[in-house]
C-alpha cells in the first residue's frame, strides 16, 4: 500500500488503486501471466521471482452502472495503451488535440493531430487525420477500379516506429454517367485513425532518467496522405501531402 501511495502521488493519480497482495484479485479475474518465462524469452530476458505472478497489461471498460462491456489486452507484457489509443478502441470521443498540422488543397483541407504531445517507449497511441471535403467534391476510398487512387495514410520516419493498420471511413457507392465502373467515395468531414508505438527510446542505453525531458528528446512523425479529389464532372491529379507532428520522449513509468 505504501508503494502504491508513493506511485499515485508521483504520477498525479486521482483514483484509488488496489494493493493485491498475493495476486488474489488478479487470479480470480484470470489475469495472471502463467507463461512469463517464454514471454520474457522473446526479448532475451530471463524471468526472475519478482516477475512471476504478474498480470497481462490490459483494460476493462465499464459502463455507467459498473458493468464490464468490453476488455482490451496486449500480447506483449511491454506494451501499454495511452488514453487516446483506448478511446479509439472503445469508440469514445477523441478529446482535445495536443498538436495539429494542416495542409490545404483543391477541394479539401487536411488536419493531422495527436491526443498527447509526448510518447513513452512501447506505449500505443493514435494519429488522427481529419479531411474536410468541400461541397460538390468527393475522395475515393477502397475498393476502386484500376487507375484510380484511393485515400491512404502512412506514418513514417521515427526511429523504432511500429505503425498498425489505419481505420478508414466507409465509402458510399457513386457512379459517373457514361462509365461502367461503380466507385466508393467519401464526402463532407471524415476521419482516419492510425495506431502506432515507438518500440525503443533515444536514451535507453545511457541510463539517464529525464523528467522533465530535454529539448533533444523530440522525434517527428511524418504523415503521408494520398488521395484524389473529384467533382461530378472532373478529377484533379492524384496528390500526396506530408504533414509533420513532433512528439517529446518521456521515460518509462516504473
Amino acid at each position: 500500500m505504501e508503494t502504491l501511495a508513493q506511485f499515485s502521488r508521483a504520477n498525479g493519480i486521482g483514483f484509488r488503486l488496489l494493493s493485491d497482495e498475493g495476486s488474489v484479485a488478479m487470479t480470480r479475474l484470470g489475469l495472471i501471466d502463467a507463461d512469463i518465462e517464454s514471454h520474457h524469452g522473446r526479448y532475451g530476458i530471463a524471468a526472475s521471482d519478482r516477475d512471476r505472478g504478474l498480470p497481462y497489461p490490459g483494460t476493462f471498460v465499464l459502463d455507467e452502472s459498473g458493468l464490464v462491456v468490453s476488455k482490451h489486452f496486449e500480447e506483449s507484457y511491454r506494451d501499454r495503451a495511452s488514453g487516446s489509443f483506448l478511446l479509439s478502441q472503445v469508440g469514445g470521443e477523441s478529446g482535445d488535440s495536443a498538436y495539429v498540422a494542416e495542409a490545404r488543397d483543391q477541394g479539401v483541407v487536411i488536419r493531422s493531430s495527436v491526443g498527447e504531445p509526448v510518447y513513452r517507449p512501447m506505449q500505443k497511441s493514435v494519429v488522427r487525420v481529419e479531411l474536410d471535403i468541400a461541397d460538390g467534391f468527393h475522395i475515393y476510398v477502397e475498393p476502386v477500379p484500376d487507375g484510380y487512387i484511393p485515400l491512404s495514410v502512412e506514418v513514417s520516419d521515427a526511429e523504432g516506429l511500429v505503425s498498425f493498420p489505419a481505420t478508414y471511413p466507409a465509402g458510399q457507392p457513386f457512379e459517373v454517367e457514361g462509365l461502367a465502373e461503380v466507385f466508393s467515395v467519401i464526402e463532407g468531414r471524415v476521419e482516419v485513425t492510425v495506431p502506432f508505438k515507438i518500440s525503443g527510446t533515444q536514451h535507453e542505453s545511457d541510463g539517464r532518467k529525464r523528467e522533465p525531458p530535454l529539448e533533444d528528446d523530440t522525434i517527428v512523425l511524418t504523415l503521408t496522405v494520398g488521395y484524389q479529389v473529384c467533382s461530378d464532372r472532373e478529377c484533379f491529379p492524384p496528390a500526396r501531402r506530408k504533414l509533420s507532428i513532433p512528439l517529446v520522449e518521456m521515460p518509462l513509468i516504473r
Side-chain angles (χ1 to χ4, degrees):
M1 291 179 65
E2 181 181 350
T3 300
L4 282 182
Q6 293 174 354
F7 180 84
S8 181
R9 288 192 296 269
N11 294 283
I13 296 175
F15 51 85
R16 291 185 294 175
L17 302 178
L18 171 64
S19 177
D20 188 18
E21 187 173 353
S23 303
V24 176
M26 289 185 287
T27 300
R28 290 179 62 189
L29 290 169
L31 305 181
I32 298 300
D33 188 348
D35 200 12
I36 194 70
E37 283 80 7
S38 67
H39 293 161
H40 275 55
R42 297 177 187 176
Y43 302 98
I45 301 172
S48 64
D49 288 339
R50 68 185 297 271
D51 297 321
R52 295 180 176 87
L54 294 179
Y56 287 98
T59 303
F60 287 98
V61 180
L62 282 64
D63 65 11
E64 293 87 346
S65 65
L67 187 70
V68 175
V69 293
S70 65
K71 53 187 177 180
H72 305 268
F73 284 81
E74 305 294 343
E75 293 184 4
S76 170
Y77 75 94
R78 287 187 169 187
D79 287 346
R80 297 293 186 270
S82 68
S84 64
F85 180 81
L86 285 175
L87 285 171
S88 72
Q89 297 298 295
V90 301
E93 296 293 332
S94 59
D96 295 334
S97 298
Y99 185 89
V100 178
E102 183 175 292
R104 293 177 176 269
D105 206 346
Q106 181 72 41
V108 64
V109 177
I110 306 168
R111 298 181 184 89
S112 62
S113 63
V114 289
E116 299 95 0
V118 301
Y119 79 93
R120 299 182 189 273
M122 303 301 291
Q123 185 182 62
K124 292 182 178 179
S125 192
V126 172
V127 172
R128 298 179 185 275
V129 176
E130 185 181 86
L131 297 97
D132 267 329
I133 305 169
D135 292 342
F137 294 90
H138 56 260
I139 290 177
Y140 298 120
V141 292
E142 293 283 8
V144 297
D146 291 341
Y148 293 87
I149 306 299
L151 175 65
S152 64
V153 178
E154 301 172 356
V155 183
S156 62
D157 284 1
E159 183 177 355
L161 173 72
V162 178
S163 60
F164 301 93
T167 300
Y168 295 96
Q172 300 295 322
F174 180 81
E175 296 183 31
V176 178
E177 186 176 355
L179 297 180
E181 296 96 343
V182 176
F183 301 89
S184 186
V185 302
I186 52 175
E187 300 174 328
R189 175 174 292 184
V190 295
E191 185 178 85
V192 178
T193 56
V194 186
F196 72 94
K197 67 179 179 180
I198 309 296
S199 63
T201 169
Q202 300 177 68
H203 307 287
E204 196 170 37
S205 60
D206 62 14
R208 290 176 286 173
K209 181 179 180 182
R210 295 179 168 177
E211 191 83 62
L214 301 179
E215 290 183 359
D216 63 347
D217 293 345
T218 301
I219 65 168
V220 177
L221 295 181
T222 299
L223 277 74
T224 303
V225 184
Y227 56 92
Q228 187 170 17
V229 178
C230 298
S231 69
D232 294 344
R233 294 181 295 177
E234 62 178 332
C235 279
F236 299 103
R240 290 175 66 84
R241 297 288 179 259
K242 293 184 179 294
L243 300 95
S244 298
I245 295 182
L247 294 175
V248 177
E249 177 191 325
M250 301 291 282
L252 286 167
I253 299 177
R254 297 187 183 277

